[in-house]
Amino acid sequence: MPLFKTIPFNSTTQILVWKITESYQELLDTVVLNEKNSIRLAGMKSPLHQRAFLSVRKLFHFAGYTDFDLYYDEFGKPHLKDGKHISITHSHEFSAIILSDETVGIDMELQRDKIIKIADKFCDSEFQYLIDNEEYIRKLTVIWGAKEAIFKIRNEKGISFKNHIKVNAFELETKEAISELHFDRLIKNFKIYFEEIEGFTLVYAFQLNV
C-alpha cells in the first residue's frame, strides 16, 4: 500500500511508516538497490525480511532519498551521505524510518503476551512502577522499544538493556518518557516518544546533550 503514516515531529525531524501489503515482486519492481544491498537482499532467507527491506527503500523515496544515499558503518549502523541522522526499524507488516538533524533511534514492536516471559531479561528498576494490569504489556513494549532505540543510537558492544539502560516512570497517555544510559563511565540522557499503531508500538529516542 502507499505510505501509511508521516509524523512531522518538528522542522528538522520526520518519521515515516509503511504498512507492508505488497508482494516481494511488487516492491522489487519499484525500487533501485545499490550493489551491496542487492547482494544482501539476495542472501535473505525470510520473505518477510525481504519485503521489509524493500519497504524501507520505499520510505527512502518518500523522504527524498534513494538506496545510493545510504551506507552502513563497520558496526552495521546506517548513515546518510548528506550527514542527516537516520534510524530504521521493521516488525512484521510494518516498517519505519526516522530522519533528523539530531541524534535519533527508532524501534517498532508488536504488542504480545510473550514479552511478559522475557521482561526480567531487559527490565530492572522499571519493575518498581510497573503494575500487572491491562497496561502491563503495553508499557513493557514501550520499555523494550525505548531500549532498542537507544541501543541503535549508541551501538556499542557490551551495553545491557537490563543493567545499563533505565526507563523512568511514565504514563501511556503522555506518550513520552525519559531514559538514562549508564555504561563504561558514560552517562547519557534520552527523551523518548511513543505511539500505538494497530497493536504495535512505535518508539523513537533523542539523545539529550546535557
mmCIF file of all heavy atoms in Angstrom, residues 34-37 60 65-72 77-86 99:
data_model
loop_
_atom_site.group_PDB
_atom_site.id
_atom_site.type_symbol
_atom_site.label_atom_id
_atom_site.label_comp_id
_atom_site.label_asym_id
_atom_site.label_seq_id
_atom_site.Cartn_x
_atom_site.Cartn_y
_atom_site.Cartn_z
ATOM 1 N N ASN A 34 21.565 -0.417 -4.498
ATOM 2 C CA ASN A 34 22.982 -0.411 -4.829
ATOM 3 C C ASN A 34 23.506 -1.842 -4.816
ATOM 4 O O ASN A 34 22.805 -2.775 -4.390
ATOM 5 C CB ASN A 34 23.776 0.505 -3.876
ATOM 6 C CG ASN A 34 23.767 0.026 -2.433
ATOM 7 O OD1 ASN A 34 23.930 -1.161 -2.162
ATOM 8 N ND2 ASN A 34 23.584 0.947 -1.499
ATOM 9 N N GLU A 35 24.702 -2.041 -5.278
ATOM 10 C CA GLU A 35 25.229 -3.395 -5.460
ATOM 11 C C GLU A 35 25.302 -4.182 -4.149
ATOM 12 O O GLU A 35 24.892 -5.342 -4.080
ATOM 13 C CB GLU A 35 26.618 -3.338 -6.096
ATOM 14 C CG GLU A 35 27.182 -4.717 -6.426
ATOM 15 C CD GLU A 35 28.535 -4.633 -7.121
ATOM 16 O OE1 GLU A 35 29.015 -3.504 -7.383
ATOM 17 O OE2 GLU A 35 29.101 -5.699 -7.410
ATOM 18 N N LYS A 36 25.797 -3.537 -3.091
ATOM 19 C CA LYS A 36 25.927 -4.234 -1.807
ATOM 20 C C LYS A 36 24.579 -4.689 -1.279
ATOM 21 O O LYS A 36 24.434 -5.806 -0.772
ATOM 22 C CB LYS A 36 26.605 -3.319 -0.780
ATOM 23 C CG LYS A 36 28.107 -3.204 -0.944
ATOM 24 C CD LYS A 36 28.722 -2.422 0.212
ATOM 25 C CE LYS A 36 30.237 -2.381 0.080
ATOM 26 N NZ LYS A 36 30.863 -1.621 1.209
ATOM 27 N N ASN A 37 23.582 -3.828 -1.387
ATOM 28 C CA ASN A 37 22.269 -4.176 -0.860
ATOM 29 C C ASN A 37 21.523 -5.164 -1.754
ATOM 30 O O ASN A 37 20.667 -5.907 -1.279
ATOM 31 C CB ASN A 37 21.441 -2.912 -0.616
ATOM 32 C CG ASN A 37 21.872 -2.208 0.656
ATOM 33 O OD1 ASN A 37 22.390 -2.834 1.580
ATOM 34 N ND2 ASN A 37 21.661 -0.911 0.719
ATOM 35 N N PHE A 60 12.567 5.569 1.919
ATOM 36 C CA PHE A 60 13.642 6.468 1.479
ATOM 37 C C PHE A 60 13.146 7.374 0.357
ATOM 38 O O PHE A 60 13.398 8.582 0.349
ATOM 39 C CB PHE A 60 14.848 5.677 0.950
ATOM 40 C CG PHE A 60 15.625 4.921 1.979
ATOM 41 C CD1 PHE A 60 16.595 4.009 1.596
ATOM 42 C CD2 PHE A 60 15.418 5.111 3.331
ATOM 43 C CE1 PHE A 60 17.326 3.306 2.529
ATOM 44 C CE2 PHE A 60 16.139 4.411 4.276
ATOM 45 C CZ PHE A 60 17.100 3.503 3.866
ATOM 46 N N TYR A 65 15.196 10.384 -0.739
ATOM 47 C CA TYR A 65 16.484 9.699 -0.844
ATOM 48 C C TYR A 65 16.334 8.432 -1.690
ATOM 49 O O TYR A 65 15.227 7.999 -2.011
ATOM 50 C CB TYR A 65 17.001 9.305 0.541
ATOM 51 C CG TYR A 65 17.375 10.461 1.426
ATOM 52 C CD1 TYR A 65 16.462 11.004 2.327
ATOM 53 C CD2 TYR A 65 18.647 11.024 1.374
ATOM 54 C CE1 TYR A 65 16.800 12.070 3.150
ATOM 55 C CE2 TYR A 65 18.999 12.095 2.195
ATOM 56 C CZ TYR A 65 18.065 12.604 3.080
ATOM 57 O OH TYR A 65 18.409 13.661 3.889
ATOM 58 N N THR A 66 17.476 7.834 -2.017
ATOM 59 C CA THR A 66 17.499 6.527 -2.663
ATOM 60 C C THR A 66 18.462 5.631 -1.894
ATOM 61 O O THR A 66 19.165 6.089 -0.989
ATOM 62 C CB THR A 66 17.984 6.606 -4.129
ATOM 63 O OG1 THR A 66 19.411 6.844 -4.141
ATOM 64 C CG2 THR A 66 17.266 7.708 -4.884
ATOM 65 N N ASP A 67 18.511 4.396 -2.270
ATOM 66 C CA ASP A 67 19.409 3.441 -1.630
ATOM 67 C C ASP A 67 20.875 3.850 -1.801
ATOM 68 O O ASP A 67 21.724 3.474 -0.994
ATOM 69 C CB ASP A 67 19.179 2.054 -2.236
ATOM 70 C CG ASP A 67 19.780 0.936 -1.391
ATOM 71 O OD1 ASP A 67 19.542 0.915 -0.165
ATOM 72 O OD2 ASP A 67 20.499 0.092 -1.958
ATOM 73 N N PHE A 68 21.150 4.646 -2.817
ATOM 74 C CA PHE A 68 22.527 5.080 -3.085
ATOM 75 C C PHE A 68 22.975 6.201 -2.135
ATOM 76 O O PHE A 68 24.152 6.533 -2.089
ATOM 77 C CB PHE A 68 22.662 5.528 -4.537
ATOM 78 C CG PHE A 68 22.538 4.393 -5.520
ATOM 79 C CD1 PHE A 68 21.295 4.009 -5.998
ATOM 80 C CD2 PHE A 68 23.660 3.684 -5.941
ATOM 81 C CE1 PHE A 68 21.174 2.949 -6.893
ATOM 82 C CE2 PHE A 68 23.544 2.629 -6.827
ATOM 83 C CZ PHE A 68 22.302 2.259 -7.303
ATOM 84 N N ASP A 69 22.018 6.763 -1.404
ATOM 85 C CA ASP A 69 22.352 7.806 -0.426
ATOM 86 C C ASP A 69 22.695 7.226 0.938
ATOM 87 O O ASP A 69 23.095 7.961 1.833
ATOM 88 C CB ASP A 69 21.171 8.772 -0.256
ATOM 89 C CG ASP A 69 20.839 9.507 -1.535
ATOM 90 O OD1 ASP A 69 21.776 10.030 -2.167
ATOM 91 O OD2 ASP A 69 19.648 9.549 -1.914
ATOM 92 N N LEU A 70 22.546 5.915 1.085
ATOM 93 C CA LEU A 70 22.718 5.251 2.382
ATOM 94 C C LEU A 70 23.974 4.402 2.394
ATOM 95 O O LEU A 70 24.342 3.783 1.394
ATOM 96 C CB LEU A 70 21.506 4.347 2.645
ATOM 97 C CG LEU A 70 21.455 3.623 3.983
ATOM 98 C CD1 LEU A 70 20.925 4.558 5.083
ATOM 99 C CD2 LEU A 70 20.546 2.390 3.889
ATOM 100 N N TYR A 71 24.638 4.372 3.567
ATOM 101 C CA TYR A 71 25.729 3.425 3.762
ATOM 102 C C TYR A 71 25.729 2.967 5.210
ATOM 103 O O TYR A 71 25.144 3.612 6.083
ATOM 104 C CB TYR A 71 27.078 4.048 3.385
ATOM 105 C CG TYR A 71 27.561 5.130 4.315
ATOM 106 C CD1 TYR A 71 28.440 4.844 5.374
ATOM 107 C CD2 TYR A 71 27.158 6.464 4.142
ATOM 108 C CE1 TYR A 71 28.883 5.850 6.227
ATOM 109 C CE2 TYR A 71 27.600 7.461 4.989
ATOM 110 C CZ TYR A 71 28.460 7.150 6.033
ATOM 111 O OH TYR A 71 28.889 8.132 6.886
ATOM 112 N N TYR A 72 26.359 1.835 5.458
ATOM 113 C CA TYR A 72 26.431 1.268 6.800
ATOM 114 C C TYR A 72 27.880 1.295 7.283
ATOM 115 O O TYR A 72 28.801 1.015 6.507
ATOM 116 C CB TYR A 72 25.922 -0.182 6.808
ATOM 117 C CG TYR A 72 24.439 -0.308 6.516
ATOM 118 C CD1 TYR A 72 23.959 -0.366 5.209
ATOM 119 C CD2 TYR A 72 23.516 -0.369 7.556
ATOM 120 C CE1 TYR A 72 22.602 -0.476 4.939
ATOM 121 C CE2 TYR A 72 22.157 -0.490 7.300
ATOM 122 C CZ TYR A 72 21.704 -0.548 5.998
ATOM 123 O OH TYR A 72 20.363 -0.655 5.740
ATOM 124 N N LYS A 77 25.553 0.219 11.539
ATOM 125 C CA LYS A 77 24.658 1.351 11.756
ATOM 126 C C LYS A 77 24.490 2.131 10.457
ATOM 127 O O LYS A 77 25.466 2.439 9.786
ATOM 128 C CB LYS A 77 25.232 2.267 12.842
ATOM 129 C CG LYS A 77 24.316 3.421 13.222
ATOM 130 C CD LYS A 77 24.897 4.214 14.388
ATOM 131 C CE LYS A 77 23.986 5.368 14.768
ATOM 132 N NZ LYS A 77 24.492 6.118 15.953
ATOM 133 N N PRO A 78 23.242 2.452 10.091
ATOM 134 C CA PRO A 78 23.014 3.178 8.836
ATOM 135 C C PRO A 78 23.340 4.665 8.950
ATOM 136 O O PRO A 78 23.153 5.279 10.001
ATOM 137 C CB PRO A 78 21.516 2.969 8.588
ATOM 138 C CG PRO A 78 20.931 2.820 9.960
ATOM 139 C CD PRO A 78 21.970 2.100 10.766
ATOM 140 N N HIS A 79 23.827 5.236 7.845
ATOM 141 C CA HIS A 79 24.135 6.667 7.771
ATOM 142 C C HIS A 79 23.717 7.181 6.399
ATOM 143 O O HIS A 79 23.700 6.434 5.413
ATOM 144 C CB HIS A 79 25.638 6.915 7.937
ATOM 145 C CG HIS A 79 26.183 6.474 9.254
ATOM 146 N ND1 HIS A 79 26.255 7.303 10.354
ATOM 147 C CD2 HIS A 79 26.692 5.270 9.651
ATOM 148 C CE1 HIS A 79 26.789 6.639 11.369
ATOM 149 N NE2 HIS A 79 27.062 5.409 10.971
ATOM 150 N N LEU A 80 23.401 8.461 6.343
ATOM 151 C CA LEU A 80 23.129 9.112 5.073
ATOM 152 C C LEU A 80 24.330 9.951 4.669
ATOM 153 O O LEU A 80 24.986 10.558 5.518
ATOM 154 C CB LEU A 80 21.887 9.996 5.178
ATOM 155 C CG LEU A 80 20.561 9.229 5.279
ATOM 156 C CD1 LEU A 80 19.435 10.184 5.658
ATOM 157 C CD2 LEU A 80 20.235 8.528 3.964
ATOM 158 N N LYS A 81 24.610 9.981 3.388
ATOM 159 C CA LYS A 81 25.796 10.677 2.902
ATOM 160 C C LYS A 81 25.738 12.183 3.116
ATOM 161 O O LYS A 81 26.769 12.851 3.166
ATOM 162 C CB LYS A 81 26.014 10.354 1.418
ATOM 163 C CG LYS A 81 26.401 8.894 1.174
ATOM 164 C CD LYS A 81 26.584 8.600 -0.299
ATOM 165 C CE LYS A 81 26.981 7.142 -0.514
ATOM 166 N NZ LYS A 81 27.128 6.813 -1.960
ATOM 167 N N ASP A 82 24.525 12.743 3.252
ATOM 168 C CA ASP A 82 24.419 14.188 3.456
ATOM 169 C C ASP A 82 24.577 14.588 4.920
ATOM 170 O O ASP A 82 24.488 15.769 5.261
ATOM 171 C CB ASP A 82 23.102 14.729 2.889
ATOM 172 C CG ASP A 82 21.869 14.221 3.635
ATOM 173 O OD1 ASP A 82 22.026 13.480 4.626
ATOM 174 O OD2 ASP A 82 20.744 14.574 3.224
ATOM 175 N N GLY A 83 24.804 13.595 5.799
ATOM 176 C CA GLY A 83 25.055 13.889 7.202
ATOM 177 C C GLY A 83 23.826 13.886 8.084
ATOM 178 O O GLY A 83 23.936 13.955 9.318
ATOM 179 N N LYS A 84 22.651 13.778 7.516
ATOM 180 C CA LYS A 84 21.428 13.717 8.316
ATOM 181 C C LYS A 84 21.384 12.376 9.051
ATOM 182 O O LYS A 84 21.802 11.351 8.527
ATOM 183 C CB LYS A 84 20.200 13.881 7.424
ATOM 184 C CG LYS A 84 18.966 14.399 8.149
ATOM 185 C CD LYS A 84 17.899 14.799 7.164
ATOM 186 C CE LYS A 84 16.696 15.424 7.864
ATOM 187 N NZ LYS A 84 16.955 16.807 8.317
ATOM 188 N N HIS A 85 20.874 12.395 10.278
ATOM 189 C CA HIS A 85 20.801 11.163 11.067
ATOM 190 C C HIS A 85 19.598 10.328 10.613
ATOM 191 O O HIS A 85 18.526 10.871 10.319
ATOM 192 C CB HIS A 85 20.663 11.486 12.552
ATOM 193 C CG HIS A 85 21.861 12.184 13.127
ATOM 194 N ND1 HIS A 85 23.003 11.509 13.509
ATOM 195 C CD2 HIS A 85 22.105 13.491 13.364
ATOM 196 C CE1 HIS A 85 23.882 12.364 13.967
ATOM 197 N NE2 HIS A 85 23.377 13.579 13.884
ATOM 198 N N ILE A 86 19.797 8.999 10.593
ATOM 199 C CA ILE A 86 18.724 8.097 10.202
ATOM 200 C C ILE A 86 18.732 6.872 11.103
ATOM 201 O O ILE A 86 19.786 6.415 11.564
ATOM 202 C CB ILE A 86 18.854 7.667 8.721
ATOM 203 C CG1 ILE A 86 17.673 6.782 8.315
ATOM 204 C CG2 ILE A 86 20.185 6.950 8.465
ATOM 205 C CD1 ILE A 86 17.593 6.493 6.827
ATOM 206 N N LEU A 99 14.251 10.443 10.338
ATOM 207 C CA LEU A 99 15.306 11.280 9.766
ATOM 208 C C LEU A 99 15.365 12.562 10.573
ATOM 209 O O LEU A 99 14.324 13.176 10.844
ATOM 210 C CB LEU A 99 14.989 11.622 8.309
ATOM 211 C CG LEU A 99 14.830 10.432 7.356
ATOM 212 C CD1 LEU A 99 14.011 10.835 6.154
ATOM 213 C CD2 LEU A 99 16.189 9.935 6.924
#
